């Protein structure tokens, strides 16, 4: 991050449940999901460039520079705002790709909020969230930074107050293709809508989980393993699986019992993302 003048987190998220209600004429799926953030994630650094160039200074294996969501987010904000300034961007990548915990979407949201600040654009959260939706359905929830019940394709957000337990997240070493999961003929697509109130009382499941378990034995095995200690569930379309615990000590204890071949981490669930807590701190200075 040497040279960065602004350093911001890009937190992970969990889908505590994910119901698929149907498929729309445009091919997207109508869904209901419950997002909560984790105090764990990537970190991005930003520095101003006067020449209008956007450079991601960190190479991401398997992702060409110009198709990285970070670069796409930066260029989109630059084009929409008419800003003549550019940026050097650094990435400390900690979240797995294809893990269902929002790595790419979170990086894009942090880029939008970070550059809004760096370039002194003064865009509203609504405007940034609308821009983010064009980059991915999960980007707006990270732009807004509040735990939320999401509907539509994930863009209609209702903020919610949830308990903030500790989560153990296991990271099977497979890349799950979201497109493959959503095109699987066996995917449940007719779950009845539920109200946010009944959801907060503990309802819900992940409709993608049976398909992912069938296609990816490593994910199924991780769920079986974690289910020995707590009720385990898939987040998003996977591959990460999680279980909740009342405190960090209990989560750490179970983590120590997982095999070394299954990477994992422990983090607290948060209703306000660590990105927004950091931005609020900076605003007070």
């Amino acid at each position: 991050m040497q040279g960065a003048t602004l350093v911001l987190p890009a937190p992970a998220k969990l889908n505590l449940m994910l119901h698929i209600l149907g498929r729309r004429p445009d091919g997207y799926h109508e869904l209901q999901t419950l997002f909560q953030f984790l105090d764990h994630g990537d970190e991005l650094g930003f520095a101003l460039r006067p020449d209008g160039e956007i450079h991601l200074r960190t190479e991401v294996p398997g992702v060409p520079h110009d198709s990285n969501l970070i670069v796409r987010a930066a260029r989109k904000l630059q084009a929409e705002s008419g800003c003549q300034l550019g940026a050097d961007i650094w990435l400390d990548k900690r979240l797995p790709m294809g893990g269902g915990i929002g790595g790419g979407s979170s990086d894009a949201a942090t880029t939008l909020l970070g550059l809004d600040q760096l370039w002194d654009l003064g865009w509203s959260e609504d405007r940034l969230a609308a821009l983010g939706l064009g980059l991915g359905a999960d980007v707006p929830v990270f732009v807004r930074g509040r735990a939320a019940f999401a509907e539509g394709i994930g863009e209609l957000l209702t903020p919610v107050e949830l308990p903030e337990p500790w989560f153990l997240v296991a990271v099977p070493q497979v890349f799950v293709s979201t497109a493959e999961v959503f095109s699987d003929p066996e995917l449940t697509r007719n779950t009845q809508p539920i109200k946010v109130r009944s959801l907060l009382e503990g309802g819900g499941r992940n409709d993608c989980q049976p398909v992912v378990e069938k296609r990816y034995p490593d994910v199924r095995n991780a769920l079986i393993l974690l289910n020995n200690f707590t009720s385990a569930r898939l987040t998003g379309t996977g591959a990460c699986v999680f279980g909740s615990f009342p405190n960090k000590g209990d989560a750490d204890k179970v983590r120590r019992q997982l095999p070394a071949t299954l990477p994992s981490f422990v983090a607290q669930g948060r209703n306000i993302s660590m990105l927004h807590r950091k931005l609020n701190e900076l605003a007070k200075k």
Side-chain angles (χ1 to χ4, degrees):
M1 297 282 175
Q2 194 174 358
T5 56
L6 175 65
V7 177
L8 295 171
K13 58 82 178 165
L14 292 176
N15 295 83
L16 301 180
M17 52 72 69
L18 175 59
H19 290 179
I20 300 169
L21 314 184
R23 199 198 298 238
R24 307 189 329 177
D26 62 8
Y28 283 102
H29 286 78
E30 287 282 340
L31 51 85
Q32 291 183 319
T33 188
L34 193 60
F35 287 112
Q36 190 172 36
F37 301 99
L38 296 176
D39 272 359
H40 177 82
D42 295 343
E43 195 169 64
L44 281 86
F46 304 91
L48 201 62
R49 288 182 68 100
D51 61 5
E53 294 280 316
I54 303 290
H55 289 290
L56 178 58
R57 294 294 182 188
T58 311
E59 198 173 313
V60 180
V63 183
H65 179 275
D66 287 0
S67 57
N68 191 297
L69 266 180
I70 293 168
V71 175
R72 288 171 53 205
R75 288 181 176 157
K76 192 164 175 146
L77 180 62
Q78 193 182 42
E80 295 284 331
S81 66
C83 182
Q84 301 297 307
L85 297 168
D88 285 315
I89 307 173
W90 293 264
L91 170 66
D92 182 357
K93 189 75 188 147
R94 299 166 192 164
L95 301 179
M97 292 194 284
I101 52 178
S105 297
S106 188
D107 291 344
T110 293
T111 300
L112 293 176
L113 287 157
L115 293 179
D116 175 67
Q117 185 146 328
L118 193 72
W119 293 340
D120 201 21
L121 300 177
W123 275 35
S124 69
E125 198 177 90
D126 285 349
R127 202 173 172 193
L128 289 167
L131 186 74
L133 184 60
L135 295 160
D138 284 354
V139 177
V141 77
F142 289 106
V143 169
R144 296 191 182 280
R146 289 164 203 79
F149 178 57
E151 299 176 275
I153 58 169
E155 85 286 15
L156 305 173
L157 301 171
T158 305
V160 290
E161 280 296 315
L162 301 170
E164 297 184 323
W166 286 81
F167 290 100
L168 170 57
V169 181
V171 188
Q173 296 299 282
V174 293
F175 180 90
V176 173
S177 163
T178 299
E180 276 183 22
V181 173
F182 275 109
S183 62
D184 192 298
E186 291 182 30
L187 181 68
T188 298
R189 294 186 174 83
N190 58 355
T191 296
Q192 289 301 305
I194 64 172
K195 294 276 190 286
V196 67
R197 183 179 297 168
S198 61
L199 187 59
L200 298 179
E201 289 163 5
R205 61 178 183 274
N206 186 335
D207 283 337
C208 296
Q209 188 168 314
V211 169
V212 175
E213 284 191 60
K214 182 192 72 176
R215 285 173 166 264
Y216 300 91
D218 287 3
V219 175
R220 184 175 66 245
N221 292 338
L223 284 160
I224 291 167
L225 200 58
L226 207 48
N227 266 317
N228 290 323
F229 305 99
T230 182
S231 176
R233 191 172 289 179
L234 185 78
T235 175
T237 52
C240 293
V241 304
F242 66 93
S244 69
F245 296 84
N247 57 65
K248 186 176 187 294
D250 287 357
D252 282 333
K253 187 175 171 186
V254 171
R255 187 188 178 200
R256 288 193 291 271
Q257 296 177 67
L258 297 181
T261 51
L262 181 62
S264 60
F265 64 87
V266 167
Q268 190 174 9
R270 300 302 292 258
N271 293 328
I272 303 291
S273 83
M274 58 181 184
L275 168 61
H276 282 257
R277 300 201 309 273
K278 177 73 184 277
L279 288 168
N280 287 339
E281 272 173 40
L282 293 172
K284 288 174 187 168
K285 286 181 181 174

